Amino acid sequence: MNVQDLIIKKRDGLELGQEEIEFLVQGISDGSIPDYQISAWAMAVYFQGMNDRETRDLALAMAYSGEVADLSAVSGVTVDKHSTGGVGDKTTMVVIPLVAAAGVPVAKMSGRGLGHTGGTIDKFESIPGFQVQLSHRQFVEQVNQVKAAVISQSGNLVPADKRLYAIRDVTGTVESIPLIASSIMSKKIASGSRGIVLDVKVGTGAFMKEQREAVRLARAMVEIGRGAGRQVVALLTDMSQPLGRTVGNSLEVQEAIDTLRGEGPADLEKLSIILAAHMLVLGDRYSDLDSAINGVREMLDSGHALEKFKQMIAAQGGILDYERSDYGLPVARFEAEVRANRDAYVSGLNALEVGRTAMLLGAGRERLGDNIDYAAGVKLAKKYGDYVTAGEIIATVYSNDKSRIDGAGQRLVNAYQFSDHRPDSLPLVIDTIK
Ligand code: URA
């Protein structure tokens, strides 16, 4: 087989066969195909697309291009969740203990963040002492004992995606639905869970800005999962404004714990409950969504989910003080309040701008390998639909670097839109795709 022929075939809008896709993926993983041919092929896919069968073949070939997690030693059906990435999205920290407390094991492999979205692993790492690197044996043992563990994704998982993504990132070929769907699902399949709940974010702070595109991505991922023998449900959820009231690593951990204590923001609590309920249905704990939602509420209200969170943190070496309001998490040395300059309703809160502000404060990485200021970030006192009066605090910015604070406050003001009229409410869960 010749790589050039496959590039030309795709360039001319023809379908690639399974063996041809496997040949390409093999060459991407072992380095035998050079970057320039991979980028030409990715550009051909960008313009010509791939059908469902090609997309599934690509995802499966990538999933098996390296190590595949073996969760056969975990008792019970393991379930996973994945968010396509949003600002202030800390649901994983709430969802894992909700699901585990209800008896379904969660063996979670997560990544670090790049850019404004921030990774789940960075958030957990802001907890003093918390270990995200466990051996496979320790990981499985903890999942069997505690029913929950979260680790940093192994370097050998899906090597083909690692190389392909790095090339796409610098060749203008990230924004292709078959390439995004196969990239995400290859990692989920290689992570080993039988049931997968996908949270596909839509809006300014998300990969997918338009609902139509988000639906296409969700459908493509559900199809791949089904083809790989996994049970998959995708929810389309709002990311036109940040989720919850905090953006930034330790601030988000604090908010997740508040939520497990029943004192969190309504949107975060609601979405976490719905995601956890879908996971419990996929994990065969409940036969329908309504009973699962009742079950999850019971885990939250009884304090069982908070106990499960404490067990998981302690099992991985994390040290928190649940008697303190900051739970012993890193706290920033500098902060500044941002105030409204008129009486009005908040009629828009641009998630991307809030995320970028948090990144400039030190909460995210501009480049791979940048250090993170765990305490940096933003707390939003006012969100979409809230009424503010002139001089009232709308947000607070935090950083350990004083020079980053001043510009951040001004930037955050610009993320807000105000109106004299109460805006229509926004749906949190826009659609469910099975
Ligand atoms: N996230 C991924 O893992 N892959 C993509 O292609 C886009 C987002």
Side-chain angles (χ1 to χ4, degrees):
M1 235 177 273
N2 181 315
V3 183
Q4 193 181 340
D5 292 343
L6 302 185
I7 298 170
I8 291 169
K9 202 168 169 186
K10 187 39 74 185
R11 182 199 67 188
D12 293 346
L14 300 173
E15 187 179 338
L16 295 183
Q18 182 180 353
E19 282 181 12
E20 292 172 323
I21 289 173
E22 284 170 357
F23 171 76
L24 282 167
V25 170
Q26 178 65 36
I28 295 172
S29 324
D30 65 19
S32 59
I33 304 179
D35 286 4
Y36 52 84
Q37 284 189 311
I38 298 173
S39 49
W41 170 75
M43 190 58 87
V45 173
Y46 177 89
F47 281 113
Q48 297 291 359
M50 292 205 293
N51 64 25
D52 285 351
R53 203 255 328 130
E54 289 175 291
T55 308
R56 187 189 61 226
D57 288 346
L58 177 62
L60 289 178
M62 292 209 294
Y64 294 100
S65 65
E67 241 174 53
V68 176
D70 177 9
L71 298 179
S72 55
V74 172
S75 32
V77 180
T78 50
V79 291
D80 195 0
K81 80 165 269 280
H82 178 81
S83 157
T84 56
V87 178
D89 183 3
K90 69 280 289 176
T91 50
T92 295
M93 292 185 283
V94 183
V95 165
I96 295 175
L98 285 173
V99 173
V104 170
V106 189
K108 186 94 188 90
M109 292 179 203
S110 288
R112 291 198 165 76
L114 185 61
H116 68 276
T117 52
T120 297
I121 286 297
D122 299 313
K123 294 171 197 181
F124 276 108
E125 278 191 324
S126 74
I127 300 172
F130 192 83
Q131 290 302 320
V132 296
Q133 252 134 18
L134 306 182
S135 69
H136 184 68
R137 195 176 55 79
Q138 287 171 318
F139 182 52
V140 169
E141 256 174 39
Q142 184 177 319
V143 176
N144 278 333
Q145 277 163 17
V146 181
K147 293 262 178 258
V150 57
I151 55 169
S152 169
Q153 202 168 283
S154 141
N156 298 327
L157 210 74
V158 198
D161 177 65
K162 208 162 286 160
R163 178 153 183 239
L164 179 57
Y165 193 85
I167 293 172
R168 287 168 56 209
D169 206 20
V170 291
T171 55
T173 50
V174 167
E175 293 86 356
S176 149
I177 293 204
L179 294 180
I180 298 175
S182 51
S183 165
I184 293 175
M185 290 307 289
S186 63
K187 286 173 282 202
K188 292 290 109 188
I189 292 164
S191 300
S193 290
R194 307 303 310 161
I196 303 161
V197 177
L198 299 165
D199 182 1
V200 180
K201 301 287 188 193
V202 196
T204 53
F207 242 104
M208 298 290 132
K209 313 286 180 213
E210 302 295 333
Q211 189 170 328
R212 204 167 48 90
E213 292 295 283
V215 170
R216 280 185 59 211
L217 177 63
R219 290 216 172 105
M221 292 196 289
V222 169
E223 272 304 310
I224 293 170
R226 200 166 290 142
R230 313 292 161 103
Q231 292 197 65
V232 188
V233 176
L235 306 185
L236 247 62
T237 72
D238 179 58
M239 190 32 71
S240 59
Q241 65 171 342
L243 186 66
R245 294 195 174 271
T246 61
V247 182
N249 300 284
S250 67
L251 293 169
E252 293 191 37
V253 176
Q254 199 175 340
E255 189 170 56
I257 302 173
D258 289 345
T259 304
L260 288 166
R261 294 169 83 125
E263 295 160 9
D267 59 348
L268 174 60
E269 179 181 295
K270 182 173 173 193
L271 183 55
S272 302
I273 290 175
I274 294 173
L275 290 168
H278 276 287
M279 288 168 78
L280 290 174
V281 173
L282 294 190
D284 292 339
R285 176 72 181 78
Y286 293 98
S287 56
D288 65 276
L289 191 63
D290 285 343
S291 341
I293 287 176
N294 289 336
V296 174
R297 266 243 79 93
E298 164 61 21
M299 291 304 113
L300 190 63
D301 296 344
S302 63
H304 283 111
L306 177 62
E307 270 317 302
K308 190 52 74 183
F309 178 87
K310 291 180 180 176
Q311 280 173 23
M312 183 181 87
I313 298 302
Q316 294 187 230
I319 299 163
L320 289 174
D321 181 350
Y322 297 93
E323 300 303 314
R324 291 170 54 144
S325 61
D326 61 17
Y327 306 120
L329 288 157
V331 174
R333 284 196 295 141
F334 304 103
E335 60 181 76
E337 286 158 352
V338 181
R339 293 176 186 270
N341 53 17
R342 58 179 281 211
D343 294 3
Y345 287 98
V346 177
S347 56
L349 177 53
N350 187 308
L352 182 59
E353 281 305 305
V354 178
R356 287 204 173 128
T357 306
M359 191 176 82
L360 292 177
L361 284 160
R365 293 182 185 86
E366 276 172 80
R367 267 169 246 98
L368 216 62
D370 280 358
N371 282 332
I372 280 187
D373 175 354
Y374 287 127
V378 174
K379 231 182 230 180
L380 303 161
K382 299 287 177 183
K383 286 184 59 180
Y384 182 88
D386 289 341
Y387 190 74
V388 297
T389 54
E392 204 178 352
I393 296 170
I394 52 173
T396 309
V397 293
Y398 300 86
S399 183
N400 280 309
D401 180 347
K402 194 163 192 314
S403 69
R404 293 179 183 242
I405 290 268
D406 298 337
Q410 190 47 49
R411 184 160 192 151
L412 202 55
V413 172
N414 296 336
Y416 279 88
Q417 277 180 349
F418 297 99
S419 162
D420 293 331
H421 307 286
R422 185 197 292 275
D424 291 341
S425 60
L426 290 172
L428 181 61
V429 178
I430 300 159
D431 205 351
T432 304
I433 292 163
K434 290 185 187 175

